[in-house]
Amino acid sequence: MTSTSAAAATALEGGCTCRAVRFRLLGPPLFVHCCHCTWCQRESGASFALNAMIESDRVELLAGDPELVATPSASGAGQRIARCRNCRVAVWSHYSGGGDAVRFVRVGTLDEPARLPPDIHIYTASKQPWVVLAPGVPAVAEYYDRKQYWPAESLARREALRARRAGS
Ligand SMILES: [Zn+2]
Ligand SMILES: [Zn+2]
């Protein structure tokens, strides 16, 4: 896939603007969403959100102690956004589906965000009309079936995560 081999070469690091929070991704993400929903537009203050989905235990906190801020979500189930306690920049979110076990890391907080381009564009039905999507990247009007789009390795990692959660 697009980003996996590059991301494996050297660890991706990132953090907030004041640098109180710093973290490292211990390997490539499961999948990278570019979300064009109106909720992500509001929460980013821009036109889409770029989130790298990864197991929480593959995000190593190098510095800081982000605060989890309860925030409404489109599903109604809510999300928790991890923000620096000092500058308040958001570094990742937990959604109800994956719970604490999965983080949606905000790609723009990485030192080298260009290393994680989107694997899929979602909720393009509400995309800003001036945003032009690159050819060759899947794009769906709303959400999608994971089995249809995720690489086999990511599906296997997700199954392993589910098994661990069920057994704990
Ligand atoms: Zn900060
Ligand atoms: Zn969204």
Side-chain angles (χ1 to χ4, degrees):
M1 293 292 291
T2 49
S3 55
T4 312
S5 53
T10 45
L12 287 156
E13 294 191 5
C16 65
T17 301
C18 80
R19 297 184 74 83
V21 172
R22 293 290 299 168
F23 63 87
R24 176 185 295 149
L25 303 188
L26 305 175
L30 294 161
F31 214 55
V32 179
H33 282 173
C34 187
C35 184
H36 299 264
C37 83
T38 56
W39 291 71
C40 285
Q41 292 187 36
R42 182 171 49 243
E43 287 158 22
S44 66
S47 306
F48 50 80
L50 194 55
N51 290 315
M53 211 182 302
I54 188 167
E55 298 92 329
S56 293
D57 61 9
R58 296 192 188 198
V59 182
E60 183 186 4
L61 197 58
L62 303 173
D65 172 31
E67 179 183 2
L68 288 171
V69 180
T71 307
S73 69
S75 73
Q79 62 172 317
R80 285 172 309 137
I81 301 179
R83 294 184 178 277
C84 171
R85 293 174 189 273
N86 182 42
C87 71
R88 295 284 160 187
V89 164
V91 286
W92 57 74
S93 294
H94 295 282
Y95 287 95
S96 59
D100 289 345
V102 176
R103 289 180 186 169
F104 286 68
V105 174
R106 301 195 172 202
V107 172
T109 66
L110 297 172
D111 299 338
E112 299 174 89
R115 285 173 59 191
L116 294 184
D119 290 316
I120 193 168
H121 292 274
I122 61 174
Y123 291 100
T124 60
S126 51
K127 180 179 80 59
Q128 289 292 305
W130 55 265
V131 174
V132 180
L133 304 183
V137 179
V140 294
E142 292 186 358
Y143 210 67
Y144 66 96
D145 179 2
R146 198 178 292 115
K147 290 190 182 70
Q148 207 182 327
Y149 290 98
W150 281 28
E153 190 188 328
S154 294
L155 288 169
R157 279 166 58 188
R158 184 172 179 278
E159 274 313 304
L161 193 64
R162 283 163 55 93
R164 280 209 301 278
R165 291 178 77 195
S168 65

